[in-house]
Amino acid sequence: MYQLKQLLDFFKIRPKSYELYEQAFTHSSYVQNNKSANHYEKLEFLGDAVIELIVSEHLMKKYPYMDEGTLSKQRIIMVQSKTLIKASNALKLPELIRLGASIKDKKNFSENIKEDVFEAFIGALYLDQGLQMCRNVLKRTVIHLYEIHSLNEMNDFKSLLQEYMQKFNKHDIYYKTINAQLNNYWVEVWINGIKKGVGHANKIKEAQMLAAKDAYNKIIKGR
């Protein structure tokens, strides 16, 4: 059976307050029959704010060229429920939840509880270990899942662009690096000698993929 200690050991966390983590995995239904326990809802509230802060910080550093509106949209994608639930499942957090008799079967409880305990865990971690440890955990969970999603999405646009242009017998697609500095790349995509899109990222492959996305969207819209 999966134990809380295994989770803490996985991230090399030496808890100052073990009770905080127990609270993070205690559902309100459990408290009804165990009056001495505290449920996770306040930690969930705090964890939600900590996640938003760290994700905002990460996006601003990774995409310095993005405006506020685009950053906000990316943050929404990054912290959406399904991502937090995936992170919760990956860490086996549902196995640690203490439930009351009213929720008998852990396999059938609401998916929202999985999201809640992930946020509560981050809240407990912040109070016990501080912001840097929260960054470390989120980098290996939510941020990692987001980057996989983004990479797959951008790869799809590169393939989509190539497949779409092949329909019109336009096979000459060329990615040109126009500015390359440390962790700062600008790339243009040219199709049959005409510039069609531009991408900017801290890795050259990502910049190419963003250029493909820009070109594909412009071509579809007839621009």
Side-chain angles (χ1 to χ4, degrees):
M1 185 177 178
Y2 191 59
Q3 301 290 329
L4 176 54
K5 185 179 183 302
Q6 291 174 262
L7 172 67
L8 300 179
D9 287 346
F10 178 74
F11 288 111
K12 298 180 180 178
I13 297 166
R14 296 181 178 178
K16 299 171 186 174
S17 173
Y18 198 80
E19 291 77 15
L20 272 173
Y21 300 100
E22 289 183 329
Q23 180 183 345
F25 298 107
T26 301
H27 189 259
S28 56
S29 63
Y30 182 87
V31 177
Q32 293 171 7
N33 299 320
N34 299 269
K35 301 300 182 182
S36 61
N38 294 310
H39 59 72
Y40 60 64
E41 290 177 9
K42 287 185 179 179
L43 290 175
E44 174 199 349
F45 167 77
L46 177 61
D48 177 58
V50 173
I51 291 169
E52 285 223 351
L53 170 64
I54 292 172
V55 163
S56 299
E57 176 186 67
H58 170 79
L59 288 170
M60 285 186 66
K61 288 180 179 179
K62 186 173 178 65
Y63 303 109
Y65 56 91
M66 280 187 180
D67 59 32
E68 180 186 356
T70 305
L71 287 169
S72 295
K73 289 176 183 177
Q74 291 303 310
R75 184 176 63 194
I76 290 169
I77 293 170
M78 201 166 183
V79 299
Q80 61 184 308
S81 293
K82 67 179 183 180
T83 304
L84 299 186
I85 290 168
K86 281 183 182 178
S88 187
N89 286 333
L91 296 179
K92 300 181 181 180
L93 302 191
E95 296 183 33
L96 302 175
I97 302 172
R98 299 194 292 181
L99 299 167
S102 60
I103 307 178
K104 294 180 181 180
D105 189 350
K106 286 189 178 184
K107 292 181 181 178
N108 293 326
F109 63 60
S110 168
E111 291 284 281
N112 290 338
I113 296 178
K114 297 179 181 180
E115 177 185 359
D116 294 345
V117 295
F118 181 83
E119 292 174 336
F121 171 55
I122 297 300
L125 190 64
Y126 171 75
L127 291 176
D128 186 61
Q129 299 285 312
L131 204 57
Q132 187 55 48
M133 182 62 79
C134 293
R135 288 191 186 99
N136 294 343
V137 171
L138 289 174
K139 185 176 182 180
R140 295 171 66 178
T141 54
V142 172
I143 293 171
H144 176 66
L145 289 168
Y146 167 81
E147 290 181 342
I148 290 174
H149 168 79
S150 297
L151 190 60
N152 289 339
E153 182 188 61
M154 288 188 289
N155 267 321
D156 287 344
F157 274 104
K158 204 168 182 180
S159 300
L160 279 171
L161 178 63
Q162 186 170 348
E163 291 171 7
Y164 185 81
M165 298 316 299
Q166 284 175 347
K167 294 178 182 178
F168 303 97
N169 295 318
K170 295 182 178 180
H171 304 289
D172 184 16
I173 300 176
Y174 172 65
Y175 293 89
K176 179 182 179 182
T177 302
I178 57 173
N179 187 12
Q181 300 174 9
L182 183 62
N183 297 326
N184 188 16
Y185 297 92
W186 286 89
V187 171
E188 296 174 344
V189 58
W190 290 67
I191 301 173
N192 285 17
I194 301 172
K195 184 176 75 173
K196 288 292 185 179
V198 179
H200 178 206
N202 60 4
K203 293 182 181 178
I204 193 164
K205 287 185 178 180
E206 288 186 13
Q208 289 176 349
M209 293 170 191
L210 287 169
K213 181 177 181 179
D214 183 42
Y216 181 80
N217 287 333
K218 286 177 179 175
I219 291 167
I220 292 298
K221 293 176 182 177
R223 290 160 58 187

